[in-house]
Structure formats: C-alpha cells, structure tokens
Amino acid sequence: MLIFDIIPYITKISIDSGVNIIYKTVLKGGYYTAIDKNQIDYQADSLICIDENGQIANIVCPMDEDYETIQLEASQQDNLVVLAEDQVILPGFVDLHVHAPQWPNAGLALDRPLYEWLDQYTFPLEAKFKDANYAHLVYDNLVETLLANGTTTALYFGSVDNTGNVELAKACLTHHQRGFVGKVVMDNPEQTPDYYRDESAQTALDETEAFIHEVEQLNKDQAIPVTPVITPRFLPSCTDEVLVGLGKLAAQYNLPIQSHCSESDWENGYALETHGKRDAAVLDEFGLLTDKTVLAHGTLLNDEDLDRFKNRGVGIAHCPISNVYFGNAVMATHKILEKDVKVGMGTDISGGFDPSIYQNIRQAIMSSRMLEDGVDSQLSPEVRGQKSSAITAKNAFYMATVGGAKSLNLPTGQIKEGYAADLQVVHTKYPTFGHQKPEETFEKVMYQTTASEIDHVMTQGVFVK
C-alpha cells in the first residue's frame, strides 16, 4: 500500500474462512482512489470483487489470507479480469455540469461575448430539441462519448422541451450511465427569446412536473434509474413566480436542484440590480439551496456565499475550461476546498469545448497556478497574484471523483467496499524507460490520459466500454 501525503490509511476486507462467495466480476490490478482532498491511496495487485448488484463487495490485498483462494475461484468461474502491467484502475468520473443539447456546438464561437454566444448560437441550437429524432441522434452520441472518456455519472441540463429531455433520459438508460437530467426552465420574456422559452411560469412548472412523472415511468425495472432534476437555468431567465414554484416542487419530490451562480460579471450584476442582493441569497430565499443543490461556475463567489453554501450543503460544479471563456475570473478552488464546501468538476459542454474530465483536471490546475502567480506583468510580484491559490493533481482528482459524488449524495467516486462499481481502466500513455514510483504514475495518468488510453469503463458493475 502507498499513500501520498499525511496519514496512513488501510482498508483490509476479508471473508470468513471456508465460505465461498461467487462474484460476478473480479478485477486484478493496481488502483488509485482518493481518500480525501489531499491524499491518494494506491494498492498494487488487488482483487476488486464485484457482486451481482454491481457493488464492490470486497477488496482483497495480496497479503490477505483469502487472496489466492478468491483469485483461483474467480479464474475457475471465468470472471477474473487481470490487468496488464501498464494498466491501473480508477473510479469513474462524475461530471457535474453538462448542457446536453449544446453538444453539437462544442468548440464553436468561444471567442464571442456571452450574450452573443447565447443568442446567436446556443438558444437556436437548443430549440431544435423538440424534434425527437434529432434529440436521439445527438444524445446517443453524447452519452457514449462521455462514457468513453471515463464519465460514469453526469448531471445534465436538458432543454425547455420535454420531447428532447425524454430522449436524453432514454440514452442514459440505454448506455447504462448514471444520469441526472433536468428540464430547463426559462420563462422571463425580458431575457429569453420568444421562440425558445416557457410560455408562462405555470406552463414551466406543469412541464417540470410532467417530466418527473415521465422519468418515473422510464425507470421501471432499471438497474440505474435516471434522476429528474429541478433546473432553473439561471436568475436572469426566470421570473420570481417560477422560482417559488420550483422550490416547492424540489421539496415535494425531494429532488436535486441545479442552476448557475456567480458565473460572470453580467449574471452577478443582474442579481444585484434586480433583487438588491447576490444571486446565492436570492436562490436561497426561493428554497433552491439545499443539500441536493449543485450550482455551476462560481467564479465570483465571496466568503458570504461560500459560508451559505456550506451551511446549506450546496455543491459547486467547477468548470475550469468554460470559465476561461465566460467566467470573467478564476474560481478560488483552493479556498473552497479549505472551507470544506462540496465541489466537483464539470465540463460545461459547450462552454467547455472538450467532453473529458481529464482535460478539466489539467485546466483546473493550470488556472489555479495563474491565480496564485497573477497574470499582469505590470504589477510587482508581491501584488500580482493571490497567495495559496494553487491546487494539485490530487486535489483535482478528488473533485472529479469524491467531490462530485458527495455533491450528488452518491455512494460512488471511490474504490471502496459498499460503493458502486463505477470504474475505469486506463493504460499509461508513454513508456517509463525505467522504474517509476506509483505517485509518479498517478501524476502522469492525470496529465496525459485521453479517451484513447481508457481501455474499459464500468458502471454499476457492467462494462460499457
């Protein structure tokens, strides 16, 4: 066992001698999993034993007395999967912020101002998802692509039209991804186009409730049910009436909530101008800040906002690539982690151009270094940056796995007994030309992995790649 940093951490799980347990799948190989925001656990040549329900039932290390017995029985039952020398096992990633209908626009018009990007590119595209055939084509490809990139759980913004949202839920079920899907609500005629909005607050609430019930029907007899999500797009797009109603629906059905918060100077300023307070406070007043809430971006959050989030149990979706284009600032990730506010990673397709959480891990680290060092060469080093802002690969990996799972209140994101077998098997991209320590391999995997290096992906014990 090897732990990177601080205290030792030992997980020893064994079964009673003489009791034979047949597992659905046993993976043999080394694995990395986050213990907390600063520590990564590495175990070599372990047996990860997965039961019929897709849960990790047992983790057996080479020194455990049952190791050889379990390995032999798994081999005889033909359910032993042995990794190659250059392969390692990681938890599947959790993507906390995906605008599903924007997938066709990924990488498009990112040099345009936010209002132009929305009005000329994003809203016209999202309006197409009232066509079920088009929605099926896009969403089938999107879910497959995310899984191929190691994302086993995704929190999706759908569109205004439920026709497309149902197709998104179906795609998650078909491809065995752990999907959270929200019907987007935007009923404010002053801030939304006439061709793409809810006709009224009541219509938006009725359609939200209808989607909840449609998902309930789709979920019958499903191993991984889709979770409907209450989804006000953001404050500028929603009237007070609809926000009140959405807060009540979230409480009535005990559902997750997602929106944007303090994403940009424009959004931040809108809340102050129209409500006289910050958007976190406004959302709170409408009952939209709960321990099931995930809010995206947060580049302009202040200490009062973060304290409010911690008290309410709110999670933050950190979208570092998208924030470069539309966030107007670098999110204070290190401070958020130190305050123990829940925070995970998001791609924010299509504000983020890449569906890979690995790419966002790297950007999160780079952006934090720029925040610490500063970017204005005309300033002296003493005032150029913000001290103690940089994060590490371990911090970012924690957000991509444990942080995301905690934000969604899920028993996944870790390789741990009793957790869902949501896993990815990756191989190292380049040869080492000699001995490489496990902590060095971990760092290289974080910085170099693409979809091409992800050999297998498993969700709830089922191989989906």
Side-chain angles (χ1 to χ4, degrees), residues 407-428:
S407 296
L408 293 174
N409 302 292
L410 290 174
T412 186
Q414 289 179 276
I415 300 177
K416 186 175 180 180
E417 182 189 12
Y419 276 51
D422 297 351
L423 307 169
Q424 52 180 315
V425 176
V426 307
H427 68 264
T428 51

Side-chain angles (χ1 to χ4, degrees), residues 91-360:
F93 288 146
V94 179
D95 191 335
L96 287 182
H97 193 54
V98 184
H99 285 276
Q102 295 177 21
W103 176 227
N105 274 1
L108 183 65
L110 294 175
D111 58 339
R112 307 300 175 90
L114 179 59
Y115 67 87
E116 185 179 327
W117 180 81
L118 287 170
D119 289 341
Q120 297 186 21
Y121 295 89
T122 302
F123 291 153
L125 174 61
E126 291 191 14
K128 294 182 179 180
F129 285 80
K130 60 182 66 176
D131 180 338
N133 291 329
Y134 182 74
H136 172 79
L137 181 70
V138 172
Y139 292 152
D140 194 63
N141 179 264
L142 170 62
V143 174
E144 279 195 302
T145 300
L146 289 175
L147 286 167
N149 279 276
T151 298
T152 50
T153 299
L155 176 57
Y156 291 107
F157 273 59
S159 62
V160 170
D161 299 289
N162 277 341
T163 300
N165 298 330
V166 169
E167 292 301 320
L168 178 55
K170 288 179 179 178
C172 294
L173 295 171
T174 297
H175 295 289
H176 214 68
Q177 186 184 54
R178 201 175 303 282
F180 290 68
V181 178
K183 175 247 180 301
V184 167
V185 171
M186 40 193 290
D187 71 321
N188 182 0
E190 296 180 2
Q191 296 289 335
T192 55
D194 57 4
Y195 65 86
Y196 187 61
R197 77 163 75 106
D198 293 293
E199 292 180 4
S200 67
Q202 191 57 53
T203 298
L205 297 173
D206 290 343
E207 288 296 305
T208 296
E209 195 163 18
F211 180 65
I212 294 169
H213 294 309
E214 286 188 82
V215 171
E216 287 176 352
Q217 293 300 312
L218 290 173
N219 281 337
K220 290 181 177 179
D221 301 320
Q222 294 291 337
I224 306 180
V226 170
T227 302
V229 184
I230 302 299
T231 308
R233 189 176 199 113
F234 50 20
L235 277 185
S237 69
C238 296
T239 62
D240 289 1
E241 181 183 355
V242 87
L243 293 173
V244 169
L246 291 175
K248 291 179 179 178
L249 283 177
Q252 177 183 344
Y253 290 97
N254 192 28
L255 290 176
I257 301 163
Q258 63 179 340
S259 191
H260 301 77
C261 189
S262 295
E263 175 185 2
S264 62
D265 293 325
W266 169 66
E267 182 189 318
N268 216 44
Y270 180 90
L272 293 170
E273 181 180 344
T274 58
H275 294 272
K277 57 191 71 175
R278 296 179 62 78
D279 47 0
V282 179
L283 292 170
D284 200 8
E285 287 184 356
F286 290 117
L288 294 168
L289 296 191
T290 74
D291 63 356
K292 297 180 184 298
T293 299
V294 176
L295 298 176
H297 303 294
T299 54
L300 301 177
L301 294 170
N302 62 20
D303 287 332
E304 179 185 351
D305 298 327
L306 294 177
D307 290 341
R308 186 185 297 273
F309 286 2
K310 184 174 182 180
N311 291 335
R312 297 286 187 267
V314 172
I316 300 171
H318 181 31
C319 308
I321 291 178
S322 174
N323 289 346
V324 170
Y325 297 100
F326 301 123
N328 297 138
V330 175
M331 195 180 89
T333 315
H334 187 273
K335 176 193 284 189
I336 291 168
L337 288 168
E338 288 301 304
K339 280 182 168 284
D340 288 324
V341 176
K342 293 190 295 189
V343 58
M345 301 291 293
T347 55
D348 191 29
I349 294 167
S350 67
F353 59 79
D354 198 291
S356 169
I357 288 290
Y358 284 103
Q359 285 281 59
N360 281 274

